[in-house]
């Protein structure tokens, strides 16, 4: 079976997001700039990553791109263009 | 908690493999002893990074299977994927005493601790049981009686991970009930479910919607999607359903 | 800190294993599926392929018109930026030269655009001279949706992200401009033999 077929969710890009935000982002809520739906990052649809260095996170409701993160060559490029806002509350780590 | 204030940034650290546990013919747990581990929440995961001697690196995520209640311990459970790059190594070559590089704990969405209360409904597909097991182990370590139901879908009884421990936890009669559905092969006297998780099964096993249970669903994407959707159709509050999709990501 | 993991080898990476593997690639026998979004399902009755942008006259084909064009069967190696390579893959498609025949343009660059919004940029000369196809069959079968069906761009001499799945047309441009992955840090050109994976390579 082709192992790369199964799409993951925002939980699988938690580590790389924490490199930018310092704290966990998967529990953060974000508003989709296209359809307005609000949901936690961990529940959104993740494409490509970690099979590829580029992560495409899409809105679970309308599949529009919320963010793109490319981690290659010791640098990470973040594009958060599909989110109207993202809201982080405290930290979940003990 | 000691260490937590110092390590605010997610950084790579090293754990020593202290124990190996063969859970099923294809699944092995690696128990690491970790210095200055700041603790974690049940449901969080770690990123494990492997480096070959020519510098080639690759990385995989694994749920932490051990509860936060055992200090300095991080256990991961690895299913060996045929032709995988990493899993045959972790679940076959790594020995006690080896050092593994990893970072964590990671994740704040798919987490539970006893303070969050219940009732709790846990749905596992295959190796999706791993983060849920951390939750059950944490629940037991705190002697919690939060009413909890686990519905665990596996191919066969031999593929059920943590089987003996789940039987023991369920036998403790402290509010935990475990149901299995075996989708490919069942023992001769099997009285349990023998099909993929579907709406009818969920209607029988899940808490009634009015109980406002916290639900965690983890497993392959098709199972996670269909279970979450069926629960919402049965009247459960989508905001109280957390999902984590597991996918083989290259082995 | 770089800890070498005792006993870990990873996939075979020795390029001297085969001179057909560009640097950093390993061989696969299956055909991995990686997509930046959900698989589109445009009905063939609505599918069109266009050539537009910096052209005197835009062109468009329906599926039936497209399939009436002369096509060819080719066998090529594929190289993905995620490091897998698959050798001797067989495709059937319409050469981009055929589609560009009669198109009048002074443009030097092309942006391929696709269902689902994916785009990728290429120099026009990398799409001509028998180097590129709009492929509609793989391994003797109609191209499956997850691999880009009904039709995808195929430009085997560049990394596979340039072989845009679900392609719907080529927009000719006077100046180079980054497509989807190029905007987010992938190399503008993408030659696997020079390991041009990311910008700055």
């Amino acid at each position: 079976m082709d192992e790369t077929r199964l799409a993951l969710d925002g939980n699988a890009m938690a580590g790389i997001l924490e490199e930018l935000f310092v704290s966990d982002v998967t529990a953060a809520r974000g508003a989709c700039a296209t359809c307005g739906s609000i949901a936690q990052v961990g529940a959104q649809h993740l494409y490509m990553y970690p099979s590829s260095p580029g992560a495409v996170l899409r809105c679970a409701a309308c599949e529009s791109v919320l963010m793109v993160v490319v981690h290659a060559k010791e640098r990470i490029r973040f594009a958060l263009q599909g989110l109207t806002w993202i809201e982080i509350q405290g930290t979940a780590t003990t | 908690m000691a260490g937590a204030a110092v390590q605010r940034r997610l950084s790579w650290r090293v754990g020593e493999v202290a124990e190996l546990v063969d859970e099923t013919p294809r699944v092995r747990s690696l128990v690491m002893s970790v210095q200055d581990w700041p603790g974690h929440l049940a449901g969080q995961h770690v990123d494990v990074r492997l480096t070959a001697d020519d510098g080639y690196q690759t990385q995989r995520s694994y749920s932490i299977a051990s509860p936060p209640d055992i200090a300095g311990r991080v256990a991961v459970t690895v299913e060996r994927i045929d032709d995988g790059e990493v899993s045959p190594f972790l679940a076959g070559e790594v020995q006690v005493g080896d050092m593994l590089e990893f970072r964590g704990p990671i994740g704040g969405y798919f987490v539970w601790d006893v303070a969050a209360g219940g009732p709790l409904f846990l749905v596992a597909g295959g190796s999706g049981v791993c983060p849920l097991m951390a939750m059950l182990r944490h629940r037991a370590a705190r002697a919690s009686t939060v009413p909890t139901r686990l519905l665990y879908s596996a191919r066969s009884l031999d593929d059920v991970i943590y089987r003996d421990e789940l039987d023991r936890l369920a036998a403790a009669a402290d509010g935990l009930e475990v149901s299995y559905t075996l989708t490919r092969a069942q023992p001769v006297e099997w009285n349990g479910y023998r099909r993929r998780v579907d709406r009818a099964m969920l209607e029988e096993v899940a808490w009634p919607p009015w109980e406002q249970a916290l639900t965690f669903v983890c497993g392959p994407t098709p199972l996670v999607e269909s279970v979450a959707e069926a629960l919402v159709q049965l009247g459960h509050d989508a905001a109280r359903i957390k999902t984590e999709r597991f996918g083989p990501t290259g082995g | 800190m770089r800890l070498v993991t005792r006993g870990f080898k990873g996939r075979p990476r020795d390029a001297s294993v085969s001179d057909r593997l560009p640097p950093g690639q390993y061989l696969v026998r299956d055909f991995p599926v990686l997509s930046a979004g959900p698989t589109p399902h445009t009905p063939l009755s609505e599918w069109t392929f266009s050539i537009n942008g910096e052209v005197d006259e835009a062109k468009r084909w329906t599926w039936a018109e497209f399939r009436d064009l002369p096509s060819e069967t080719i066998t090529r190696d594929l190289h993905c930026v995620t490091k897998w390579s698959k050798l001797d893959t067989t495709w059937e498609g319409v050469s981009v030269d055929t589609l560009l025949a009669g198109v009048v343009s002074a443009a030097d660059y092309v942006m391929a655009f696709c269902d689902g919004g994916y785009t990728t940029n290429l120099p026009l000369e990398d799409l001509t001279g028998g180097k590129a196809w709009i492929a509609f069959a793989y391994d003797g079968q109609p191209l499956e949706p997850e691999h880009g069906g009904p039709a995808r761009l195929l430009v085997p001499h560049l990394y596979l992200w340039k072989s845009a799945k679900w392609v719907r047309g080529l927009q000719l441009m006077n100046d180079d401009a980054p497509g989807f992955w190029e905007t987010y840090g992938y190399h503008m050109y993408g030659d696997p033999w020079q390991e041009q994976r990311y910008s700055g390579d």
Side-chain angles (χ1 to χ4, degrees), chain B residues 76-141:
Chain B
V76 297
T77 301
V78 179
E79 177 179 4
R80 195 169 53 250
I81 311 285
D82 289 334
D83 290 335
E85 181 184 21
V86 168
S87 61
F89 170 75
L90 287 178
E93 301 296 324
V94 169
Q95 298 165 7
V96 169
D98 281 344
M99 311 295 280
L100 291 177
E101 200 178 18
F102 70 97
R103 67 179 176 186
I106 298 171
Y109 162 75
F110 195 85
V111 295
W112 180 80
D113 81 335
V114 294
L120 211 53
F121 184 44
L122 310 176
V123 183
S127 53
V129 72
C130 298
L132 306 181
M133 194 61 182
M135 295 177 185
L136 289 176
R137 286 168 165 166
H138 168 61
R139 179 184 174 280

Side-chain angles (χ1 to χ4, degrees), chain B residues 17-38:
Chain B
V17 178
E19 194 187 343
L20 298 172
V21 181
D22 283 328
E23 309 281 2
T24 77
R26 305 184 63 79
V27 177
R28 172 178 286 180
S29 292
L30 288 73
V31 183
M32 292 189 287
S33 152
V34 185
Q35 288 197 348
D36 299 323
W37 180 244

Side-chain angles (χ1 to χ4, degrees), chain C:
Chain C
M1 164 189 49
R2 181 146 292 196
L3 170 78
V4 172
T5 315
R6 186 200 67 79
F8 178 65
K9 305 255 186 296
R11 302 212 186 271
R13 287 181 303 293
D14 185 5
S16 69
V17 163
S18 166
D19 55 11
R20 289 170 68 183
L21 284 183
Q25 300 291 106
Y26 65 87
L27 203 59
V28 296
R29 308 228 179 263
D30 62 350
F31 196 169
V33 174
L34 285 168
S35 307
T39 302
H41 295 284
T42 303
L44 293 180
S45 56
E46 290 168 28
W47 186 96
T48 56
F49 187 86
S50 308
I51 301 210
N52 55 33
E54 296 289 334
V55 294
D56 272 17
E57 206 179 304
K59 292 174 79 171
R60 177 187 283 192
W61 295 263
T62 62
W63 181 255
E65 289 165 345
F66 170 70
R67 292 291 280 110
D68 267 347
L69 295 169
S71 63
E72 52 196 25
T73 299
I74 49 163
T75 299
R76 291 292 187 277
D77 299 341
L78 304 178
H79 308 296
C80 180
V81 72
T82 66
K83 306 203 170 162
W84 59 262
S85 287
K86 189 169 172 63
L87 307 183
D88 297 319
T89 63
T90 303
W91 301 82
E92 192 183 343
V94 175
S95 168
V96 173
D97 292 304
T98 302
L99 294 159
L100 288 174
V103 168
V104 180
S105 170
D108 289 324
Y109 297 96
V110 172
M111 184 73 78
F113 57 90
C114 315
D115 281 332
Y118 183 78
T119 54
T120 190
N121 58 303
L122 307 101
L124 181 58
E125 76 177 4
D126 285 86
L127 286 174
T128 52
K131 298 199 274 305
W133 296 263
I134 304 300
F136 53 81
Y138 167 71
D139 211 22
Q141 299 294 316
L143 187 60
E144 288 178 18
E146 66 188 2
H147 282 299
R152 74 180 295 168
L153 177 60
L154 185 67
V155 193
H157 71 282
L158 299 176
Y159 279 120
L160 205 57
W161 91 74
K162 297 283 184 181
S163 291
K165 297 200 278 197
W166 312 299
V167 72
R168 294 293 301 275
L170 304 174
Q171 177 191 42
L172 272 64
M173 316 186 289
N174 288 327
D175 302 307
D176 206 2
F180 183 85
W181 285 121
E182 296 84 3
T183 298
Y184 299 118
Y186 280 37
H187 200 274
M188 285 289 268
Y189 184 62
D191 179 354
W193 295 98
Q194 297 191 63
E195 215 168 354
Q196 293 173 342
R197 300 179 199 267
Y198 312 111
S199 62
D201 280 346

